[in-house]
Amino acid sequence: MGGAVGLGSLIYALVRCSQFLGETTLMEDAKQLATLITPDLIAADRNLDITAGAAGTIMGLLTLYNAIAEQSVLTTAISCGEHLLKYRSQSESGIPTLFCFLMYKAKYLLVHKKTNES
C-alpha cells in the first residue's frame, strides 16, 4: 500500500511509464499489481497516509483506472476510500479530517464523471 512506497507507488509508476513509452506490457504489470490489493490488505492498513497507506494507494489505483477504465480497479480504490473514512480522525471540533472528506468527494466526482460519459 502507499503512494511513495508499496503497491500504490508501483502501480502509478508503471502506468505513467507505460503511457510515456507506449509500452503496453507495463500497463499489464500495473493491472496485475492492482489485483494484489485485497480487502484483507486494505483492512490491515493503519498508516492511512499518502506515503505508506490507503490514501496513496488510491492515487495509484485511480491513475490506473483513468488509463484502462476497469471497474474492478475503481472498486478497489473505493474500498480504500471507505477504509480511510472508517478510520478517519477527528479534530478538536469534531470535524472529520479534511483529507478523508476530499477522498470521499474525489470518489463521488470520479464515479459520476464516468457515469455521465457513458
Side-chain angles (χ1 to χ4, degrees):
M1 305 271 295
V5 297
L7 292 172
S9 63
L10 294 173
I11 292 168
Y12 181 86
L14 286 168
V15 170
R16 291 300 186 212
C17 287
S18 174
Q19 292 170 330
F20 295 146
L21 300 173
E23 187 63 49
T24 58
T25 57
L26 296 174
M27 191 70 70
E28 292 301 318
D29 291 342
K31 287 169 50 176
Q32 186 64 31
L33 282 178
T35 66
L36 299 176
I37 302 172
T38 63
D40 288 340
L41 184 64
I42 295 168
D45 174 43
R46 293 298 178 266
N47 290 314
L48 308 174
D49 63 6
I50 292 175
T51 303
T57 303
I58 290 171
M59 294 188 319
L61 289 169
L62 291 181
T63 300
L64 177 60
Y65 178 74
N66 284 329
I68 65 170
E70 284 191 13
Q71 186 62 40
S72 62
V73 175
L74 181 59
T75 299
T76 303
I78 290 169
S79 294
C80 287
E82 289 169 348
H83 178 72
L84 289 175
L85 290 171
K86 180 178 179 182
Y87 289 99
R88 70 183 175 264
S89 60
Q90 302 233 340
S91 67
E92 291 178 16
S93 66
I95 299 171
T97 56
L98 177 61
F99 190 76
C100 287
F101 173 74
L102 292 175
M103 285 291 96
Y104 175 78
K105 291 302 280 184
K107 174 184 85 167
Y108 174 83
L109 292 172
L110 180 65
V111 169
H112 281 47
K113 176 185 175 210
K114 294 295 180 184
T115 302
N116 291 334
E117 291 175 356
S118 300

